[in-house]
Every structure is written in structure tokens, then in C-alpha cells.
Amino acid sequence: MSAENRTRTGMGPLPRQWRAGGAAASLAVVVLGFAEPALAAPPSSPSAPTTSVRAVGGNDCRRAASRLGAFGPGSHDKCGVGPTGPRGATGPTGPTGATGATGPAGPGGTEPVFGQFLGTQIVHSATLTCESTITTQNTTQCTQPLLNGLSILAGSAEETAICNAITGMGVASTMALGMAPTPYAIWNGTTWALGSASVTQLFQITCNR
């Protein structure tokens, strides 16, 4: 092939040492020179979508992150909220509150009505004792009555209170004897009380039945 018909290269004449054994190396350099940009810049791939969680606190942040899928295996808590801690120790007992107001009094209890005098029985919440008793079809009698160990004033209020409790009926007769030692029992209209004036004592009382 003649020199005139050769295609000239823009790179100029090659050095003598390249013409023999270095032709292949020269070709490789040329090829690599053109291919280097492609090798230096690998093909770009679509970037992974990023998810941001607004910096809100507590459960609002966690709910938002859960919907967006921000939490998952190996992810970090973007809300800055750690797990719930253990239950704390029970606190000390508080001081005792103030005592409430006293409630109203309850209804009074009922006492049994036996219809006759006994050696010992309850009369309007007090204990009545008789030295002796006599009971007939129409009356019942107590001699030397004492109320809680005290003499009883020989008065109509006291006698009526006793018969109402024993038989539920009126007084048949009474007998007074001697001065009542003080203190003695009197009836004030609602309950028994103590008297200290100089009075006669009830010695015997008979109630209708």
C-alpha cells in the first residue's frame, strides 16, 4: 500500500518505538481515553424517596410517623420519645380528713310490754326493780319500786310513765311512804332525770291491765 493512499491521522506521526510493539498499547490508550468519562460517571439511579416527620411531640408525632411509614426495622425514633418507664412507687398516705358533722338521731327503739310487773324490767330505757309483785286479771302491782337503784318521786308524771310502759294503760292506785333520799329519779316528760329537793318517795304502784 502506498504512502499516498494512507489515511492520515490527526494525531501526527507516531514515534518509531510505537510503530512496532506499541501499536496495540496505543490503540488501548486511545480507546480508554474516549471511554473514561463513561466509566467515571456510573449511570444514575432514581433516588429513594425521603420522608420527613414534622417535629411534633408525643402521640401526635408517633401517629403521623406511623402513617408515613417513618418507623420500621432499624429506623430511629424521630419524635424523641422513648418507651414508657416502669410504674413508680406508691406515695405516702395522706393526712386524715376532718371529722364530719354528727348525723341526726335515729328513731327510738321499742321496749317489750309484758302487761305486768316483773322483778326486773326496762321502763323507758331505765331498769325498774320491784321488791315484790302481785298480778291479777285486771291489775298488776309493784311494791318498793326502784329505778336504776334510786327511789322514785311519788308524782303523777312518774306513776303515769311507769304504767304506760308496763301495761299501756292508766294508774289504778299508788302509795307514798317516807322522804326520798337524794338523788332520786323523776320523769321530765321525755326521759328520766335526777331530783334533789325534799319530796316523798313512791312506795307502791298498781296499774290497770
Side-chain angles (χ1 to χ4, degrees), residues 10-94:
M11 300 177 61
L14 296 175
R16 183 179 299 272
Q17 60 271 22
W18 284 16
R19 293 179 184 178
S26 300
L27 180 60
V29 170
V30 172
V31 173
L32 288 176
F34 287 103
E36 183 177 0
L39 295 175
S44 61
S45 60
S47 58
T50 59
T51 303
S52 62
V53 179
R54 186 166 54 91
V56 295
N59 293 332
D60 293 339
C61 176
R62 289 184 174 279
R63 285 193 291 268
S66 177
R67 289 195 300 270
L68 295 174
F71 298 153
S75 66
H76 297 287
D77 188 346
K78 297 179 175 57
C79 299
V81 179
T84 302
R87 181 183 295 274
T90 302
T93 303

Side-chain angles (χ1 to χ4, degrees), residues 112-180:
V113 178
F114 296 108
Q116 67 181 60
F117 284 109
L118 303 173
T120 302
Q121 60 198 123
I122 302 299
V123 174
H124 297 302
S125 302
T127 302
L128 177 71
T129 59
C130 300
E131 180 69 23
S132 62
T133 63
I134 299 174
T135 300
T136 65
Q137 183 177 355
N138 298 319
T139 63
T140 182
Q141 185 181 88
C142 172
T143 302
Q144 294 185 3
L146 297 175
L147 198 67
N148 288 350
L150 301 176
S151 297
I152 303 171
L153 170 64
S156 60
E158 290 73 18
E159 295 159 0
T160 300
I162 292 173
C163 286
N164 284 341
I166 298 300
T167 64
M169 302 184 69
V171 179
S173 64
T174 61
M175 180 185 297
L177 180 64
M179 303 300 296

